[in-house]
Structures are given as C-alpha cells and as structure tokens.
Amino acid sequence: MKTVAAELAFFLRGQARKNLKLLIVYCCFLFTMVLVYAMVFRHLMWYLEGREYSIIAGIYWTITVMTTLGFGDITFHSEPGYIFAALVTISGVIFLLILLPFGMISLFIAPWIEERIRYRPPPELPNDMQGHVLIFGIDAVTRALMRKMQGRRMPFVVIAANHDEAYALEAQGLRVLYGIPTDSAFLSGARVAQARYIISNLGDPETINLSLTVRTLCETPIAVIAEEPEHVELLRLAGANQAIPLSRILGRYLAIRATTRGAKAHVLDSFGTLLIAEIPLYGTPFVGRTLEQISLRQQTNLAVIGLWERGVFSIPRRDSLLSEKALMVLAGTQEQLVALERLIDEKSGEDLVFVLGHGRIGCAAASYLDNMGVPFVLVDQQENPHCEEHSAVVGDATSRALLWKSGIARARGLIVTTNDDNSNIFMTLAARHSNSHIRIVARANREENVDQLYAAGADFVVSNASVGASILTNVLENKESIYLSEGIGVFRRPLPPNLAGMRLNEAHIRRQTGCSVVAIENSESAEPLIMPPPETVLEAGSDLILIGSPEQEEDFNRTFR
Ligand code: AMP
Ligand code: ZN
C-alpha cells in the first residue's frame, strides 16, 4: 500500500503536478462538450422528430456515440440527425479516444517510466555532513525507529539495498544512499566518521562485516540487532558497541507476562538495587480486591507503580480494583519480590503455558519459562533446527483439534508467537472464544496489528517493531530508560536544582509533566526510597526515577531543563 502511495506521489510533484492541472482542465472541457451535445440532441430530437428525451437520456446517448459503443436503442431517423450523430462520433474519436490516451501517455506514463529508468540514488553525502545516524537494513523495526526519529527531529540517512527500494524510500521523503554497506569507499562517502551513530539490522554475518569495515575507518559508535542471541559476543568482537539480542528480549517479555510463577523472574530491569517487575494478576489471590485491601506494601514493602489492562496503562489509586485481566508493575528489591513469590505461591495452583510458535522468539520464551519452573507445551509447524533444548508438538497451531489433543484445556497461559500475524490473530480469537479466563500474551510482527490482537482477546500484546525501535532510540539518546511496553517507560533524571529543598507535593511534577516519581535515590543512602510519600523533602544531588510515556518524558525534559 505504501509503495502504491509512494508511486502516486510522483504525480503530485514538479512538472507532473502541472500536467495534472492540464488534465483536469481537459476533463472539464470534455464534460462541457458532452453537456452541449446532450442539449443539442434533445432539441434536434424534438424539432426534427417530435420525440422528447430527458437530459440524462441525452448524456447517455452522447457518451455511447462518442465512445463508438452505439447501442442503437436511441437513434435519429432524419438526415440532419444523421449528420449530427456523425459529428458527435468523430469528435468522440478525436477528443476521447485519441487525444485523451495520447495525453495520458505523453504527460504522465512516459515521464513516470523515464524518471524510474533515469533514477540514480545518490552514492554519497555532502563533505560537510555530520551528526547523522546511518541506518542499514530496512524492516518493521527500523521503519518504526525512523518514525520515532522523525518525531524527534534526529537527522538520519537510510542505506537502501537496491534501486527500487531507494526510489520508494526517497519518494516517502527519506534521505537515502545506495551502495554496498561493506565497501569502505562507500562508507567514506556516507561520511561514516562524522556520523553520530550507525544502526544495523542486516543479518548477523553482514553486520559483522560492516562493523569490521567501519572500525578500519573510524570509531563512530555502532548499535546492532543480533539475529541470533549467540552471536552477541561475535558482534561485539567485530566492533559493535551495542548488540541487542531482540528475539531473546521479546521472548522474555512474552514469558514474564504469561505466568505468575516466580515473581523474581518478572524483573524487567533495574536501577541499582531498585528492580522494576511486572506480574499478571490472573491466578493470584489479589484478583477482585482493591489495592488497599491486598496491602501489598505492608506485607512485602513492594510498591505497585502501575497497572496495565489490555494495552492501557494507569497509575493506580488505593481504591483501584484489581481485575484478573490486569498486570501489576512493581518497584522494589530482590528480597521484596521473593516475599511476593511466597505470598502468591502459597495460594496459586499449578501453572501450564502453551507456546504457539517455536522460532527464535518462542524458543527464548520457552527457556525463560523453563528457568521459572513453569511447565509449558511448544507447538510449531516445523522442527526448530537451532534448538536442541526443547521438544515441540509438530503441527499447525491454528488447528484446534491439534491443540485440544495436546491438552490446551488445562493451560492457564498462552503465548502466541508465530511470524504470521493473521495466524496470531486467529489463534488469539479461537483461544479466547473457548476459554474466557486464559492469559493470552500475543506477539505483533507488525505494529498495525496490535489493535486487532487486543480486539481478538489478547491480554497483552508485544510488538517486535516497537520494542526494537524503543530500545534503539534509548541507545541513540544515551538514556538510562527501562522499556516497559508500548508507550510507557521508566527513566532516571537528576533532581532539577530548582526543586531542591521542596516537598514532593510542592514540586507538582505530575501536574506539570504527567510523569510520576516512582523512587528517589539519594547519593548517600544505598536503598532507594520507593513510592515516596508526598511530604518527602527533595534533597539536592539526589536522582528521581520516574514513570511516564515518551511524550511525558519530553515534557519533563522541557519543563526542568
Ligand atoms: P520466529 O519468527 O523465528 O519466532 O519464528 C516463527 C515460528 O512460527 C516459525 O518457527 C514458524 O514455523 C512458526 N509458525 C508460523 N506459522 C505457524 C502456524 N500456523 N502453526 C505453527 N507454527 C507456525
Ligand atoms: Zn527451543
């Protein structure tokens, strides 16, 4: 669809745009001609032959005659009528059948083909170009990254793999270069030494070659997505500063959201001793009660800093009701999570998670479940040649009979992670239809399908593209941010000097920026103060740990710059 739009965009640029105006004028001329003929037809019919026709019939007659269709259902029976009909036919042939197609070909089709043939993507950037990000490898992740970078006005240049791709990207308004990524002359032309960052999402072997070539030229930082988690070390050896094992991260995100077992394993990331963890509520003794009633703070000292419910994140209040469909986001220490584990494990029964899709991501999810001691069943239409650890049921996971036979009726959690979004949506809908309680965590290969997966009944959707793009944006911005999920993150900022000495409730951080303070870390004390009470005094030199959307984070930066 995007490619079609990009091609159509040609007609709105330069000379083609002027020609388009000419075409519109010509169409108006044709339309007037049809109207005039239709009126003359009515008059002639009435005066010559005493027959009365409506204007619609007149237009119909004119069009059938001009296009030489001539159905023959309305015809003249007099000589002046014949002459008029002949005149209409001849002008139709000239203006409609000869001039119009000729004009279309010479004004639109020929210039369009010519431009495509003549198009040569630029092989290098201007000498003085600097501070740009070079992006190698175009897929859903880098496309999402480019959208984020456009929003943040970060200059970037995309390296296209071929002419057609370069043409389509340039038509979308992106700055493009075309060349062999591992050719040092091309990289010099891409001003690699003056670039701010290099991002690669090419396959691992090509990325390794690219990194080695870049390192012969300059020290520009390189961040890459590792296809295989085992290649991370090799990619680093080749010169990549950051090698992101995206499939392993995604597998872990899916696994921690599909089970309540082992609260310790639900940690998303950490700021020193402060851990941010996420745990689904379904199957826990907390369901159906309010935050105040479960008194988690008193029992474990953990703070609930957020609630996710079907893609919507909210900052909880004391009277927030905990539904079985929600996920709690917690802040606390390792020991506090162990305490939560005990609290949940005492009451929760056996868990069982079905993992549909045993590719790279499904395999990573299965390994995490294994570490948490959660029993799981893997289903894939083919054996995973890279995995020696797990055995999977082989068959189409969209087959309800197969899933039924494999015991899906006993499952409490379901991870839907094939590389086909249509299958993922289908399986989510089918599973939700037959079991309204099952915890469904689904993977969206394309961001556009996140909403459909929620609509089909998923409790949580993890999008490859947005997780990948968010991690890369954090790398580019040199941020110490934890990526929670679509549109929400935890980040650390030094206390703005003008807030020092104030009480937390006087600083009005939430009102001004929408961000909430999750914890305060004082340089002297090792233990962070989690969910600080409103009357806490903000001490100079301390760090704030905040939760909010990327926009709220921007607001914070702007307000307290
Ligand atoms: P990956 O993208 O590496 O996580 O791999 C996705 C996995 O999904 C592959 O192993 C595919 O064989 C698997 N897959 C795709 N469609 C289906 C399906 N309808 N049933 C079972 N497995 C599937
Ligand atoms: Zn495996």
Side-chain angles (χ1 to χ4, degrees):
M1 205 55 214
K2 263 195 192 134
T3 332
V4 176
E7 298 293 352
L8 286 179
F10 166 81
F11 299 104
L12 299 175
R13 293 196 303 260
Q15 186 59 36
R17 194 189 174 96
K18 287 192 195 129
N19 293 346
L20 197 64
K21 284 189 191 151
L22 213 65
L23 178 72
I24 294 170
V25 172
Y26 188 73
C27 287
C28 291
F29 163 70
L30 279 180
F31 184 68
T32 319
M33 185 186 260
V34 170
L35 273 186
V36 171
Y37 281 152
M39 283 189 288
V40 175
F41 160 84
R42 282 185 73 211
H43 280 90
L44 286 181
M45 272 296 185
W46 176 246
Y47 287 116
L48 296 174
E49 306 189 9
R51 282 185 281 162
E52 191 175 357
Y53 286 100
S54 69
I55 188 75
I56 298 291
I59 292 172
Y60 163 75
W61 178 86
T62 309
I63 290 173
T64 57
V65 173
M66 281 183 84
T67 54
T68 71
L69 273 174
F71 293 132
D73 49 348
I74 307 174
T75 49
F76 283 102
H77 298 298
S78 60
E79 284 194 352
Y82 295 153
I83 293 170
F84 175 63
L87 188 79
V88 173
T89 311
I90 290 168
S91 56
V93 169
I94 293 172
F95 291 107
L96 208 61
L97 304 186
I98 298 177
L99 285 185
L100 184 64
F102 179 76
M104 285 290 285
I105 291 169
S106 58
L107 295 181
F108 296 103
I109 313 291
W112 175 63
I113 293 174
E114 223 171 276
E115 189 187 92
R116 293 223 59 171
I117 293 170
R118 255 193 290 126
Y119 174 73
R120 291 278 172 278
E124 60 175 35
L125 293 172
N127 251 326
D128 55 352
M129 180 88 177
Q130 56 180 358
H132 53 298
V133 176
L134 287 167
I135 301 178
F136 295 81
I138 296 147
D139 68 351
V141 174
T142 38
R143 279 184 193 282
L145 173 70
M146 288 191 260
R147 280 197 293 278
K148 277 178 178 271
M149 292 177 75
Q150 279 174 322
R152 288 168 163 75
R153 301 193 184 286
M154 283 186 196
F156 64 90
V157 180
V158 199
I159 314 302
N162 53 52
H163 273 211
D164 279 350
E165 193 174 69
Y167 182 81
L169 289 165
E170 204 163 274
Q172 287 165 29
L174 301 174
R175 191 155 195 180
V176 186
L177 279 188
Y178 167 66
I180 299 165
T182 50
D183 173 6
S184 41
F186 168 69
L187 288 174
S188 301
R191 312 299 163 214
V192 73
Q194 291 125 264
R196 176 170 153 204
Y197 237 108
I198 292 163
I199 303 276
S200 169
N201 193 17
L202 301 163
D204 292 344
E206 205 175 354
T207 298
I208 285 178
N209 195 347
L210 169 71
S211 307
L212 287 168
T213 318
V214 171
R215 284 292 165 258
T216 62
L217 298 170
C218 61
E219 285 304 311
T220 305
I222 307 174
V224 307
I225 300 269
E227 248 179 346
E228 296 287 345
E230 308 84 78
H231 294 164
V232 166
E233 209 42 52
L234 291 177
L235 288 159
R236 292 224 180 95
L237 273 177
N241 303 66
Q242 306 258 2
I244 300 151
L246 187 59
S247 48
R248 185 182 281 171
I249 295 173
L250 289 165
R252 179 171 164 227
Y253 272 30
L254 292 167
I256 62 169
R257 289 175 172 122
T259 176
T260 51
R261 274 284 198 85
K264 273 202 315 274
H266 289 257
V267 174
L268 290 169
D269 224 320
S270 57
F271 289 113
T273 51
L274 174 69
L275 307 178
I276 306 289
E278 226 186 50
I279 198 157
L281 281 162
Y282 172 58
T284 68
F286 309 137
V287 173
R289 300 162 69 192
T290 64
L291 210 55
E292 191 169 20
Q293 284 166 344
I294 67 168
S295 58
L296 200 64
R297 194 80 194 252
Q298 287 88 321
Q299 294 192 64
T300 63
N301 247 331
L302 280 168
V304 180
I305 59 172
L307 284 175
W308 277 112
E309 193 162 355
R310 313 205 77 198
V312 180
F313 182 85
S314 59
I315 306 281
R317 295 199 322 244
R318 287 149 63 98
D319 59 350
S320 296
L321 190 68
L322 302 173
S323 110
E324 66 169 15
K325 297 261 171 245
L327 271 124
M328 281 194 294
V329 184
L330 305 159
T333 63
Q334 176 92 10
E335 296 73 45
Q336 292 162 358
L337 284 171
V338 174
L340 173 71
E341 207 163 298
R342 254 183 265 118
L343 210 67
I344 294 178
D345 269 0
E346 270 168 28
K347 289 152 195 155
S348 73
E350 271 301 295
D351 206 353
L352 173 66
V353 176
F354 263 60
V355 184
L356 309 184
H358 182 214
R360 274 186 287 251
I361 299 175
C363 185
S367 300
Y368 273 97
L369 291 172
D370 217 2
N371 286 346
M372 291 183 233
V374 177
F376 58 88
V377 176
L378 278 161
V379 183
D380 198 299
Q381 59 196 9
Q382 60 192 34
E383 298 281 356
N384 182 338
H386 304 288
C387 174
E388 286 166 6
E389 224 178 304
H390 311 121
S391 64
V393 175
V394 177
D396 187 346
T398 55
S399 154
R400 295 172 83 170
L402 176 79
L403 297 183
W404 197 257
K405 259 193 276 166
S406 320
I408 199 160
R410 288 182 294 114
R412 300 182 59 169
L414 179 69
I415 297 178
V416 183
T417 172
T418 79
N419 49 357
D420 174 15
D421 279 348
N422 289 334
S423 300
N424 290 353
I425 293 169
F426 176 86
M427 291 182 289
T428 302
L429 187 71
R432 177 58 72 226
H433 180 64
S434 50
N435 184 345
S436 62
H437 292 295
I438 195 166
R439 248 183 333 255
I440 304 179
V441 187
R443 144 185 173 193
N445 295 288
R446 298 174 65 89
E447 267 180 294
E448 302 88 278
N449 290 321
V450 169
D451 290 345
Q452 285 86 323
L453 282 161
Y454 276 120
D459 295 309
F460 213 94
V461 180
V462 175
S463 145
N464 293 9
S466 53
V467 173
S470 292
I471 295 173
L472 287 171
T473 324
N474 286 349
V475 168
L476 286 178
E477 294 186 330
N478 215 352
K479 261 192 209 162
E480 208 187 327
S481 294
I482 291 175
Y483 176 71
L484 282 181
S485 184
E486 215 87 11
I488 208 87
V490 179
F491 52 96
R492 180 206 295 263
R493 288 288 177 280
L495 180 77
N498 55 333
L499 299 187
M502 278 190 194
R503 288 180 196 285
L504 184 58
N505 53 359
E506 292 163 354
H508 298 305
I509 296 175
R510 171 110 56 114
R511 198 166 70 201
Q512 292 189 70
T513 68
C515 304
S516 300
V517 177
V518 176
I520 302 176
E521 268 188 338
N522 285 324
S523 17
E524 302 101 64
S525 67
E527 284 289 306
L529 177 61
I530 300 165
M531 291 306 256
E535 61 279 4
T536 310
V537 177
L538 302 169
E539 286 176 31
S542 53
D543 275 352
L544 299 182
I545 294 173
L546 301 123
I547 192 163
S549 66
E551 295 76 38
Q552 291 167 339
E553 189 178 340
E554 292 280 298
D555 275 351
F556 184 91
N557 295 344
R558 232 176 294 123
T559 314
F560 298 112
R561 191 167 6 201

